[in-house]
Amino acid sequence: MTTPDTAAPRGTTAGGSDFRALMSLFPTGVAVISALDGAGRPWGMTCSSLCSVSLDPPTLLVCVRSGSPTLDALERAGMFSVNLLHHSARDVAELFASGDPDRFHRTSWHLPDAAAAGPHLCDAAHAVGDCRVDGVRQVGDHTVVFGRVDRVSVDTGPQRAPLLYGLRRYAAWPSGGSVADPDRSRRGPLDEE
């Protein structure tokens, strides 16, 4: 086994820029998590730190910067929505990553009913999960929020490819077929035995 020249010597810890470089090499989907505060004001942020945790009960986690107003709103409300963005929503991803205080005035959103856990980005999301906060844990400068998924809404309009982020740029899921080898099992990470 060879060791790359950029590896940290034993006994040292990788710095923030090293860690950012590592994570930029791990492409992921892009989501906007959102919640309402006690006054009914919407809060939200772009999030690529999202993963599934459990199928039974259906649980996911998101990582949010500690001290963020979105984190404060979702912790106080005890619920939040996860808006999975489609490939044409790069502008929305950038808007919600910018910290612009008028972001909810600059994009379409709604609460479809009383069961909505947070704003649904109706034009930018191809799927939304409504979640209840099922636990939080502070880790460094971020807080891990576990969300119990109560409801999933999938856009029934024209199929849209997911928006991806990696190598410090946005891309769309490849069109024209599956990225999976057709001879391999279609099992995913949560289907492990």
Side-chain angles (χ1 to χ4, degrees):
M1 179 173 169
T2 60
T3 304
D5 294 338
T6 58
R10 288 181 183 247
T12 64
T13 303
S17 62
D18 295 329
F19 186 64
R20 276 192 200 95
L22 172 69
M23 296 313 299
S24 76
L25 298 172
F26 186 67
T28 185
V30 182
V32 168
I33 59 170
S34 57
L36 298 174
D37 67 15
R41 288 183 304 245
W43 293 91
M45 58 169 271
T46 300
C47 177
S48 60
S49 299
L50 164 86
C51 75
S52 58
V53 175
S54 168
L55 284 174
D56 188 17
T59 305
L60 55 76
L61 70 76
V62 295
C63 298
V64 184
R65 181 182 52 80
S66 298
S68 147
T70 300
L71 176 63
D72 185 57
L74 73 84
E75 282 188 298
R76 289 177 186 266
M79 57 187 171
F80 62 100
S81 62
V82 175
N83 295 270
L84 303 182
L85 302 186
H86 59 72
H87 73 283
S88 298
R90 176 182 174 170
D91 58 335
V92 174
E94 291 172 341
L95 173 64
F96 279 82
S98 73
D100 184 333
D102 294 326
R103 62 193 95 164
F104 280 97
H105 295 294
R106 296 179 53 199
T107 193
S108 299
W109 66 277
H110 72 291
L111 297 171
D113 54 37
H120 289 208
L121 304 182
C122 40
D123 294 334
H126 63 98
V128 180
D130 288 302
C131 306
R132 270 182 294 125
V133 175
D134 197 30
V136 297
R137 179 168 182 233
Q138 188 164 353
V139 179
D141 58 1
H142 277 64
T143 299
V144 179
V145 179
F146 293 91
R148 182 83 160 271
V149 182
D150 289 331
R151 177 175 67 175
V152 174
S153 306
V154 178
D155 184 5
T156 58
Q159 185 175 6
R160 297 181 181 170
L163 180 63
L164 303 176
Y165 186 77
L167 301 172
R168 296 188 175 105
R169 64 181 180 256
Y170 292 96
W173 187 268
S175 63
S178 172
V179 294
D181 180 346
D183 297 327
R184 298 183 130 216
S185 168
R186 299 240 183 233
R187 296 172 58 115
L190 286 180
D191 297 321
E192 295 174 3
E193 294 178 10

